[in-house]
Structure formats: structure tokens, C-alpha cells
Amino acid sequence: MDADREVRESRESRELARENRRNKIIAAVLSIVMIIVTAASLTLYAFLKPIRSTPPADDTTPISSYTLPKPTPYADDPVMAADVIASIDRLHRSISYSTRYRFSGAAEGALLGYGGTTNAGYRITEDSLPDDLTLIVSRGPGVPDDIVGSDVGDVPAYLKGMDLTVSYVGMPVSDTDKHPAGTVVATNPAPGTALSEGDPIVVGVATAVGNDNGKGVLGADIIGQRSDEARQTLESQGHAVNLQPRFSSSDALGTVVATDPVPGSVLADGQSVTLYYGVDMTGAKDVFSEPRDDLNGLRAVRTGASSGVTTAAIAGTYCRDVTRESGTSPGTPVTDTAGQCLTLTDRTSTDGSNGHYLVLNGDDPAQPDDRLDLTNFAHDIGGALLEADPDNPTGQFPMRNHLLAQGLDKNWGVAELYAGNGLPNCGDAVFTGAPGQTCDGDLTFEMKDFLVYFAAGANVDEVEKTGYFDRSALSEALDQSPVDDSRPFVLVRDRTLYDVTSKPAGEWITTVNPFVPTNSADNDYRNAMVGMKPAPSGETVYYLVDEPYDWSVFPAYDRQ
């Protein structure tokens, strides 16, 4: 019995041992399987996970080679131009490249593509440097520079992803060879203007010029034509044509930049048309002044009806350039009026003189002496002289220290426009000393609206050398971006930058106003004006915004 029990117990022990070994083997196998599955999962995850081929811009670790990545502008995590540039810089090689900015629906700063001969996939090494590398970078939403001339059917592609409110109008054109029907003639805002999500944009599409009972239509494509050619065409159709200068960008000199009536208008037989042609600083002398027969042929500021030449040349909307915070896009004009833009509107005086004047931001002063003017108060036309009378032994004249007079024959292309005519105030009223006018209080000189106008190509450097600008303001401006002198611009005096904006006038007949340019014997013909603040820079001036069309005259265009 004992022997049988021992045999049975031995057999059971061996079975239990085998079972334990089996369990251990199964556990080991399962562990191996789990390791394989986990490794495979990690490998698959690493394969499927988006790989950032371009390290972030703050990584400065040196590298020996770099492959230009494929642009992914509309991806959730697009390749950014700043990262590409940082990687190129990490190569520590003298690699020449340029950047070109383009409006798009992609995130601002996203890489849109490459220009030149170097494309995505090019591997930059010590032995293989790119000859022609251009990075095309998104500026965010805006009106593409090259949209004009495109087919209307391609407009959605140009504006892809920008989420703009787009409308279309038909613009009659005279030359359908240059502007085929169905192509983009112009946009509002103009090409090159930055926009925000939801902003409106009007696209003008070419249509053939029709006629209404024998009346012609002034084609929209007259804008940009050479003024002499446009005049000949209109005169051949029986219209009388008046040519007038208007300050414009350098690329529009000599071409039609505006018309009266506006493009798209129906013209009656024989109707007169005014064509405004672009001028720069070389035309400023004739815009602001004319020889006067009553002054022995000497030049003086335009007055009376002739002043309309000056005001028409300047009138318009002027906007600051806005550089986005990311710094990836250059300055672009904006179209809002929340401190970023100003308007100068041409008005005609109702005092019977037919004189013209400019109104700043629609605020027409109640007192004529507070209108913007080029001169100080004077009892006769001699106060508007821009050169010395040869018969005057002193060689002096009232406007001698005005920028317009100083640069008249030097093509500076600069002039001051300011309110108050240099007169004192009695409280809120301008005091002229006219018969019967009295002041019970003290007379004061007040710092009023003051603008400096610069035509395209204006000689800013020469003005700076005269000491016209406050030293600290000029130093600050020189540290900022330079002005774009290919466009007309306005510099506005900022009263908030001054500690003193009002001074007692005392015996004002013999006291010099410190807030306007003067040339008086009472202070030995020195200009006593305080230094101008701010000084001109790309961040302080307002640039002319081209607005040649009245978009309300164009009918809606059906793209179907």
C-alpha cells in the first residue's frame, strides 16, 4: 500500500512540475509577444506621426546639411519660413537667399513655395550650395499684387482660404485687346492692400464699352494711359480736355491717375473732361506756385481760383503703413480710419474768391483763418512770394523760411500746410486785428494742425540737414524704417509730443509765432519755429492711397 502510494505521489509531483513548466513557457511566450506588439505599435506610431522636417526657429545647433522641405501652407501645422531660414543659418555657410511675400489664405509666415531655380527637396551641403533660392512667404489675407489681368474665373483661387466678402462689378473698357472681357481690371481695395477675415473686396471685371443714345462711356481703362494719348482719343471723339497735375506714385508719372467725370460715366456729346496726370517732386514747383504778372513775373503761391490746381493735386486719402507683429511681412496700406488714415478734401470757398482749400478729416473749420494754408496772414499778395524781389535791398520776403521756398528751385518737392495763418488767438477765436475786433483777454499763439507734404521723390535728406526737425525726434526716426519715397506722403505734427503748445502773444504785431515758419525783422529774419515732431520715417508718415474710381457707378457683374 505504501509502495503504491509513493508511486502515485511521485507521478502526481512529476505532472505538477510539467504543468508549472508549461505555464512558465506560456508566460514567457506571452511576454515576448507583448514586447513585439509594443515595439510594432511604437514603430507604426513613429511612422504615422507627422514628422517636423524643419526644426523650430529657436534651435541653433550647427548642422552639416539641410534638405529644403515641401511647403504645406494649408496644413494644421504648416512649414514656417522662419524655421527654414533658421535651419539655413545653422549651416554656417554663406548661403544667399531672398524672401518674397505674397497675400494668401495661409497663416502669415507660412512657406508658400520657392522661387528661382532651387525647389523643395534640394539638399544643401558644403559641396552643394543653391545658386538661386527665393522663399515665397505668406503675408496673410490681402489683395494679391498680380490679380489684375487674371480671368474672373481664377479669382476664387487667388483668394483661397482668406474668408473675404467678395463682390463683382462690370467695368466698361475701351481697349478689349489689352483688357479682354472677363478679366480683372481693378480691385477695391487696390492690389497690395492687407485685409482681415470677413473684409469686403470688390473685383472689377472688364466689359466692352457700350453707348446710351449716342453718348459714349468713359472707359475704366483710361486710368494708367499716357495722358497725351488719352487726351488725343477724347478730343477725336469731340470732347474738350483739360489736363491737370496730381501727385502720384513714381510708377504713375505722366499717366492718367484720375478723371472728372469719373471712369464709367456716360459722356454727352462734346462734354468736357478733366484728366489728372501723375507728377512727382519735379512737378511740385508748378503745382504749388505760378509766376504772377502783378508781381513782375515773380513766383508766388497759387491763390484764388488757381489754388484749385494745388488742392486737386493733394486731395485724397493717406494711410500709415502697418507692419504686422510677427515681422514676417513688410508694411502694407490699411483702409481703416481709426487713427491709421487721414483724408484731405478739396473745397471751394463761398466768399466769392473762388479760392480752394483743403479740409483735414472732414472737419471744416468755422473760421476761414483756421483752414489749412501754405502761407501766413498778409495784407497783400506780397505775403505769398516765394522768391525775393530784385528791387528789395534786403533780399528778404515773408516765405523765405518756408520749406516750399527753400526747395523751390532744388526740386525738394516739400511744402507745409497749416491752420491759423500764423495769427494769434483770443480764446478760441482767431484774432486778425480787423477794425472793430477787440480781445478782453490775453492773446496767445496756439499749436494748431500742421502738416508737411512730400511729393514722390522728395529730397527728405536735404530737409533733415536744415535742422527743421527736433533732434531727438530725428534720432528716433533714423532708428526706424526709412520712408518709401516712391509714394507721396504726409507728416503730421503730433501735439502730444510737446510740453508747450500755447504761448503768450503779447504785442502780437511784433511777436513771432513759434509754431509756424516765419521770416520777420523782429527776430532778425530767423525762423523761430519749434523743431518738428515727429521726424519722417516709415512708421510716422501717411502714404497716398490711389483711389481713381467711384465704385458705385459700376453695375453688378454676373459671373455665370
Side-chain angles (χ1 to χ4, degrees):
M1 291 288 294
D2 292 338
D4 292 340
R5 187 170 57 250
E6 288 178 2
V7 170
R8 189 167 55 252
E9 288 177 352
S10 176
R11 186 181 298 119
E12 290 174 353
S13 294
R14 288 195 297 272
E15 290 292 337
L16 180 60
R18 281 197 295 270
E19 183 68 23
N20 287 338
R21 284 198 298 272
R22 260 196 316 269
N23 289 339
K24 288 180 180 180
I25 293 171
I26 292 172
V29 170
L30 289 175
S31 296
I32 293 171
V33 169
M34 288 298 296
I35 292 173
I36 293 172
V37 169
T38 301
S41 298
L42 290 173
T43 302
L44 181 62
Y45 172 77
F47 176 76
L48 295 177
K49 180 179 179 289
I51 300 173
R52 189 180 187 116
S53 60
T54 301
D58 56 0
D59 188 348
T60 59
T61 306
I63 55 178
S64 59
S65 65
Y66 177 64
T67 301
L68 295 177
K70 179 181 179 180
T72 57
Y74 296 101
D76 292 337
D77 185 20
V79 174
M80 303 301 288
D83 292 341
V84 175
I85 291 172
S87 295
I88 292 174
D89 292 342
R90 289 170 58 205
L91 291 166
H92 296 289
R93 297 283 185 271
S94 297
I95 299 173
S96 177
Y97 62 88
S98 61
T99 53
R100 188 165 74 239
Y101 296 92
R102 178 182 297 170
F103 288 118
S104 78
E108 184 179 358
L111 180 67
L112 296 177
Y114 299 93
T117 59
T118 307
N119 296 305
Y122 184 93
R123 188 171 184 80
I124 304 174
T125 66
E126 181 177 357
D127 299 324
S128 179
L129 301 180
D131 295 324
D132 184 11
L133 173 59
T134 299
L135 305 180
I136 303 175
V137 186
S138 174
R139 295 170 68 178
V143 188
D145 295 297
D146 55 351
I147 194 171
V148 171
S150 65
D151 188 271
V152 64
D154 296 331
V155 170
Y158 276 91
L159 305 180
K160 176 185 176 183
M162 296 189 194
D163 293 327
L164 304 175
T165 303
V166 186
S167 59
Y168 297 82
V169 297
M171 301 184 79
V173 296
S174 301
D175 187 350
T176 53
D177 289 333
K178 184 175 181 181
H179 301 279
T183 60
V184 177
V185 178
T187 62
N188 183 34
T193 303
L195 297 173
S196 299
E197 182 177 332
D199 281 351
I201 175 175
V202 183
V203 179
V205 184
T207 60
V209 166
N211 59 70
D212 182 12
N213 296 325
K215 298 176 181 178
V217 176
L218 188 60
D221 54 337
I222 194 170
I223 301 299
Q225 290 184 23
R226 299 299 304 178
S227 58
D228 52 349
E229 295 175 0
R231 179 183 61 184
Q232 291 173 8
T233 298
L234 288 169
E235 288 179 342
S236 70
Q237 296 171 356
H239 298 287
V241 178
N242 175 37
L243 289 178
Q244 278 195 223
R246 175 168 287 188
F247 289 121
S248 72
S249 300
S250 297
D251 59 3
L253 301 182
T255 68
V256 177
V257 294
T259 66
D260 183 17
V262 295
S265 299
V266 175
L267 299 178
D269 292 340
Q271 181 176 347
S272 295
V273 178
T274 298
L275 302 179
Y276 296 94
Y277 61 93
V279 296
D280 60 2
M281 83 291 188
T282 60
K285 181 176 181 177
D286 290 328
V287 166
F288 289 111
S289 70
E290 62 182 345
R292 296 284 299 241
D293 292 338
D294 53 351
L295 291 172
N296 298 320
L298 296 175
R299 278 201 172 257
V301 169
R302 289 181 179 271
T303 59
S306 178
S307 62
V309 173
T310 302
T311 53
I314 295 175
T317 298
Y318 295 78
C319 293
R320 290 183 185 273
D321 267 5
V322 176
T323 302
R324 298 176 183 269
E325 292 180 359
S326 67
T328 59
S329 63
T332 55
V334 295
T335 55
D336 70 281
T337 55
Q340 299 292 355
C341 297
L342 63 84
T343 58
L344 291 169
T345 307
D346 186 1
R347 296 278 175 84
T348 304
S349 176
T350 58
D351 60 5
S353 67
N354 293 320
H356 289 248
Y357 61 98
L358 292 167
V359 173
L360 177 62
N361 293 330
D363 186 13
D364 198 342
Q367 302 175 84
D369 286 307
D370 264 339
R371 294 169 179 167
L372 295 178
D373 207 341
L374 293 163
T375 69
N376 290 323
F377 174 80
H379 289 287
D380 56 47
I381 190 61
L385 267 175
L386 290 170
E387 55 185 330
D389 186 338
D391 295 332
N392 185 340
T394 67
Q396 300 294 335
F397 55 100
M399 292 190 67
R400 183 173 179 272
N401 289 321
H402 284 66
L403 293 176
L404 178 57
Q406 293 182 59
L408 192 67
D409 292 319
K410 304 173 185 176
N411 283 335
W412 282 7
V414 183
E416 295 125 325
L417 288 161
Y418 53 94
N421 287 137
L423 293 166
N425 265 39
C426 178
D428 293 331
V430 178
F431 189 81
T432 64
Q437 187 180 21
T438 61
C439 182
D440 295 332
D442 294 328
L443 295 176
T444 59
F445 289 123
E446 302 295 328
M447 183 178 284
K448 300 184 177 183
D449 289 335
F450 192 102
L451 294 69
V452 183
Y453 194 89
F454 296 79
N459 199 330
V460 179
D461 291 342
E462 287 302 312
V463 178
E464 292 175 347
K465 291 176 184 177
T466 66
Y468 187 84
F469 300 104
D470 175 85
R471 288 186 179 180
S472 61
L474 181 58
S475 177
E476 183 176 351
L478 292 175
D479 288 334
Q480 297 171 343
S481 59
V483 294
D484 177 2
D485 63 3
S486 69
R487 295 184 282 170
F489 59 85
V490 176
L491 181 69
V492 181
R493 182 164 62 189
D494 186 348
R495 282 189 286 266
T496 66
L497 299 179
Y498 293 84
D499 295 328
V500 178
T501 59
S502 178
K503 282 198 171 184
E507 294 296 328
W508 68 277
I509 295 296
T510 58
T511 304
V512 177
N513 189 332
F515 302 125
V516 299
T518 57
N519 187 49
S520 172
D522 295 312
N523 70 334
D524 298 323
Y525 300 107
R526 290 180 294 105
N527 188 9
M529 192 178 86
V530 295
M532 178 73 174
K533 299 179 186 179
S537 77
E539 299 171 30
T540 60
V541 304
Y542 296 78
Y543 292 101
L544 175 66
V545 178
D546 294 323
E547 297 178 315
Y549 302 109
D550 177 358
W551 290 86
S552 66
V553 306
F554 301 117
Y557 179 85
D558 185 1
R559 292 192 299 140
Q560 302 303 320

